[in-house]
Amino acid sequence: MTGQVVTAELLAVVVAMVDGHPCVLTLGTPPRLPAGPLLPSHRSLQAATRAWVEEQTGRRLGYLEQLYTFADLDRESVGRRISISYLGLTTSGESGIGGWAGWYDLFAWEDHRGHAAPTDPLIGRLRAWANSDADCRDERAQRVAIDFGLDGRAWQPELTLQRYELLYEAGLVAEAPDEWRRPDAELAPGGRMLGDHRRALATGIARLRAKIGYRPVVFELMPPTFTLRQLQDCVEALSGHAVHTQNFRRLVEQQALVEETGSLLETGGRPARLYRFRRQVLAERHVAGTKLPTVRAH
Amino acid sequence: MTGQVVTAELLAVVVAMVDGHPCVLTLGTPPRLPAGPLLPSHRSLQAATRAWVEEQTGRRLGYLEQLYTFADLDRESVGRRISISYLGLTTSGESGIGGWAGWYDLFAWEDHRGHAAPTDPLIGRLRAWANSDADCRDERAQRVAIDFGLDGRAWQPELTLQRYELLYEAGLVAEAPDEWRRPDAELAPGGRMLGDHRRALATGIARLRAKIGYRPVVFELMPPTFTLRQLQDCVEALSGHAVHTQNFRRLVEQQALVEETGSLLETGGRPARLYRFRRQVLAERHVAGTKLPTVRAH
DNA sequence: GTCGCTTTTGCTCACAACTAGCATAAGGCT
DNA sequence: AGCCTTATGCTAGTTGTGAGCAAAAGCGAC
């Protein structure tokens, strides 16, 4: 009872902010995530992921956490392939191989900052899809309404994966199976990726959006010093919607997440104070919880 | 670049309430979790887990979610073994093979209901461990204080895994490496399990405790009809500490999680109304969030 | 130099949620 | 009838959060 021969692959969703845009580290065209097999030399799954990312892109990872494991049939060999995906955070600073693909170039419907929801045409197609099957119409309509914040419901940023899966089932993304696929013109706006890498990315986005609400992980994406406005912009970019500025500041300061550096940064208006992350809170609260509001503004 | 030969194993943490005690499904002595290799016949990781649990214990699983994946060296073969752990919920009703091991027989320090904290002697040993290394004394002391809710901090039920790992590092659990181990007399109270199964269980407990706070999963563990007191007892047993009765009821009713059946149950005092779970909320809120308070009482 | 624009920052109010306690209802038992 | 137990209703006090007003502090245009 030794089981099937399988190969294990590590898949890395590496996120950084590039010019204010949340991006994922990709290689080649169509874009694919850094990935590589588990080798005997690797000490652990996490170490293997770090090694592959470094080898393929020349970048060191800071924060790294496991996302999800899935198995699919391996086309190249007889066996099966197990993919273990990780979420990594880094700063875009050091140059390396590979490029940064913007989240919202891949998932245009996930950006709900300002400018009225770009999802309007999508919603129509989703509703049509829901109505196309009399048996599960109600259930589908409800999923659409919840996932996309319809009928007075709130838009929930961390439902990225559910929205992607809904679009997949509705045949509105390019990688959907042929029998479900809609004509290109109708597809949801967003570039595709190799294999199911876009799904892995959706999982990573969802996890990160959820996590910034209760763990101080945003700071992994920030430069050493920053203004509160820059921090807020980062949170808004990640969560995909605006937050109330004054409340944001209150929460950050209340929890003593940052400390002043003493210097100022000229920003076009009143100069802003520069802050740095209080590294100590990682020890204090690695575990204890941290709140950043993900509440809308104006 | 085909990678190392690995075997993939599924590991199931199956939880049910037995006579009011939260329990995990185990086999043999020392107790071990149901587990089995991934086979070609399995359609997915989740299906494989269901199949193994059913084959080994004769029980069907309802709710099932992935927990964590880890890799270790496989002693039996040349390669490596990847373990993918799942958390399953069921009702203890149907009989089958294997037994139910009480959470708090395995992790006595995790039960904080009533009776003053049973952790007192443990704390002393942890503090001694923290002080034993001058270099990292502060960091260790802080971890102990946070994980065990010392110095005015609140006890956080969902830190089960962190507490286990702290005890492991301190050599206070039987399965710790020999060089860390303390004399038997000083071990933390709680039976051991095969290999690292106790760690997997700790992961499952932590996940479940966190999840009952924002998803209606408790009901997977309840019989078809129940009183609010029984529901509360279940939540208290899982989270390991008491909750304020009136607030609990308010939250449950406010969110319309349950509906009355019309009948009553005699309980020794004033008869209690019987309720059933409103299955519809799974569709409504599979995603939308549900709150059960995990706040202390009296 | 003053006015208007921008961005930062401080403060306050209203409301919702939650903690915690009091009080009452409704049964059994002695 | 009186006491115990459990169930259930209600409310006061506190805290947390959403949202707005306003002042401070720089820049550039006129």
Side-chain angles (χ1 to χ4, degrees):
Chain A
M1 205 165 73
T2 49
Q4 185 178 15
V5 172
V6 298
T7 58
E9 174 200 54
L10 289 317
L11 197 61
V13 177
V14 179
V15 174
M17 298 296 295
V18 181
D19 302 329
H21 301 285
C23 290
V24 61
L25 187 53
T26 58
L27 298 162
T29 25
R32 63 177 196 278
L33 299 174
L38 178 66
L39 299 177
S41 59
H42 295 135
R43 276 177 328 168
S44 67
L45 296 175
Q46 182 157 328
T49 308
R50 285 186 197 279
W52 279 119
V53 170
E54 192 160 340
E55 177 168 331
Q56 293 180 5
T57 72
R59 284 175 222 273
R60 284 247 146 123
L61 294 184
Y63 183 88
L64 191 61
E65 83 173 52
Q66 200 179 97
L67 273 179
Y68 202 75
T69 301
F70 47 94
D72 52 8
L73 296 176
D74 194 338
R75 283 165 231 106
E76 291 162 27
S77 78
V78 280
R80 204 191 287 250
R81 184 177 55 182
I82 292 186
S83 297
I84 303 154
S85 57
Y86 275 81
L87 169 66
L89 304 180
T90 186
T91 50
S92 59
E94 335 97 50
S95 72
I97 310 159
W100 294 107
W103 280 11
Y104 304 126
D105 296 331
L106 295 161
F107 298 93
W109 61 91
E110 287 293 333
D111 189 359
H112 270 231
R113 291 170 293 178
H115 20 273
T119 56
D120 293 346
L122 255 197
I123 303 293
R125 284 172 228 151
L126 280 167
R127 286 209 156 115
W129 166 76
N131 280 322
S132 68
D133 186 331
D135 287 341
C136 47
R137 191 166 47 192
D138 288 352
E139 184 239 330
R140 283 180 175 183
Q142 193 170 40
R143 280 177 65 199
V144 173
I146 291 174
D147 291 353
F148 285 84
L150 271 35
D151 309 337
R153 271 170 257 245
W155 168 268
Q156 299 186 70
E158 68 279 11
L159 298 188
T160 306
L161 181 59
Q162 283 88 337
R163 284 187 284 268
Y164 174 80
E165 289 185 336
L166 207 50
L167 292 171
Y168 186 94
E169 285 180 50
L172 293 170
V173 291
E175 54 269 41
D178 285 339
E179 60 270 29
W180 295 351
R181 266 289 304 283
R182 298 309 178 86
D184 282 355
E186 296 188 359
L187 292 185
R192 66 171 301 176
M193 298 179 75
L194 184 73
D196 49 9
H197 287 193
R198 200 149 68 139
R199 178 186 301 264
L201 174 55
T203 309
I205 293 176
R207 177 80 127 254
L208 184 51
R209 284 183 169 181
K211 203 136 196 171
I212 55 174
Y214 62 98
R215 289 291 139 84
V217 284
V218 219
F219 303 101
E220 305 284 342
L221 299 169
M222 300 295 294
T225 75
F226 47 84
T227 68
L228 290 182
R229 164 50 62 180
Q230 288 167 342
L231 183 62
Q232 179 180 345
D233 284 340
C234 180
V235 169
E236 289 184 343
L238 294 174
S239 73
H241 76 237
V243 311
H244 182 107
T245 306
Q246 296 92 321
N247 293 343
F248 178 80
R249 311 172 77 87
R250 179 178 45 184
L251 273 191
V252 170
E253 292 183 348
Q254 239 174 29
Q255 300 174 103
L257 294 175
V258 299
E259 61 192 2
E260 291 189 38
T261 66
S263 25
L264 296 177
L265 182 71
E266 311 217 343
T267 57
R270 169 171 171 177
R273 300 184 207 184
L274 278 169
Y275 293 84
R276 78 171 68 86
F277 178 48
R278 285 183 63 238
R279 287 258 148 229
Q280 317 136 48
V281 308
L282 285 183
E284 292 167 15
R285 252 169 292 180
H286 188 194
V287 130
T290 301
K291 285 187 203 166
L292 289 181
T294 302
V295 207
R296 74 176 50 91
H298 322 316
Chain B
M1 205 165 76
T2 48
Q4 184 179 14
V5 172
V6 298
T7 58
E9 174 200 56
L10 289 317
L11 197 61
V13 177
V14 178
V15 174
M17 298 295 295
V18 181
D19 301 329
H21 301 284
C23 290
V24 61
L25 188 53
T26 58
L27 298 162
T29 25
R32 62 178 197 278
L33 300 174
L38 177 65
L39 299 178
S41 58
H42 294 136
R43 276 176 329 168
S44 67
L45 296 175
Q46 182 157 329
T49 308
R50 285 187 196 280
W52 279 120
V53 170
E54 192 159 341
E55 177 167 333
Q56 294 180 4
T57 72
R59 285 174 220 273
R60 283 246 145 125
L61 294 185
Y63 183 88
L64 191 61
E65 84 173 52
Q66 201 180 93
L67 272 180
Y68 202 75
T69 300
F70 47 96
D72 52 7
L73 297 175
D74 194 337
R75 283 165 232 108
E76 291 163 26
S77 78
V78 282
R80 203 190 290 248
R81 185 177 55 182
I82 293 187
S83 298
I84 303 154
S85 57
Y86 275 80
L87 169 65
L89 303 181
T90 186
T91 49
S92 58
E94 334 98 49
S95 72
I97 308 160
W100 295 107
W103 281 10
Y104 304 126
D105 294 332
L106 294 161
F107 298 93
W109 61 89
E110 287 294 333
D111 189 358
H112 270 230
R113 291 171 292 177
H115 19 276
T119 57
D120 293 347
L122 255 197
I123 304 293
R125 285 172 230 153
L126 281 167
R127 286 209 156 115
W129 166 76
N131 280 320
S132 68
D133 186 331
D135 287 342
C136 47
R137 191 167 48 193
D138 289 352
E139 183 239 329
R140 283 181 174 182
Q142 193 170 41
R143 281 177 65 200
V144 172
I146 291 174
D147 291 353
F148 285 83
L150 272 34
D151 308 339
R153 271 171 255 246
W155 167 268
Q156 299 186 69
E158 68 278 11
L159 298 187
T160 306
L161 181 59
Q162 283 89 337
R163 284 188 283 268
Y164 175 80
E165 289 185 336
L166 208 50
L167 292 171
Y168 186 93
E169 285 180 50
L172 294 171
V173 292
E175 55 268 41
D178 286 339
E179 61 270 29
W180 294 351
R181 272 286 306 283
R182 299 309 174 90
D184 280 357
E186 294 191 358
L187 290 184
R192 64 172 303 176
M193 298 180 75
L194 184 73
D196 49 9
H197 288 193
R198 200 149 69 138
R199 178 185 303 265
L201 174 55
T203 310
I205 293 176
R207 176 80 126 256
L208 184 52
R209 284 183 168 181
K211 202 135 195 171
I212 55 174
Y214 62 96
R215 288 291 141 83
V217 284
V218 220
F219 302 102
E220 304 286 341
L221 298 170
M222 300 296 294
T225 75
F226 48 84
T227 69
L228 291 183
R229 164 49 63 181
Q230 288 167 342
L231 183 63
Q232 179 181 346
D233 284 341
C234 180
V235 168
E236 290 184 343
L238 294 174
S239 72
H241 76 237
V243 312
H244 183 106
T245 306
Q246 296 90 324
N247 294 344
F248 178 82
R249 311 173 76 88
R250 179 182 40 171
L251 273 189
V252 171
E253 291 182 349
Q254 238 175 30
Q255 299 174 103
L257 294 175
V258 298
E259 61 192 3
E260 291 190 40
T261 65
S263 25
L264 296 177
L265 182 70
E266 311 217 343
T267 58
R270 168 172 170 178
R273 301 183 208 185
L274 277 169
Y275 294 83
R276 79 171 68 87
F277 177 48
R278 286 183 62 237
R279 287 258 148 229
Q280 318 136 47
V281 308
L282 284 183
E284 292 168 14
R285 253 170 288 179
H286 187 193
V287 130
T290 300
K291 285 187 204 165
L292 289 182
T294 302
V295 207
R296 74 174 52 91
H298 322 318

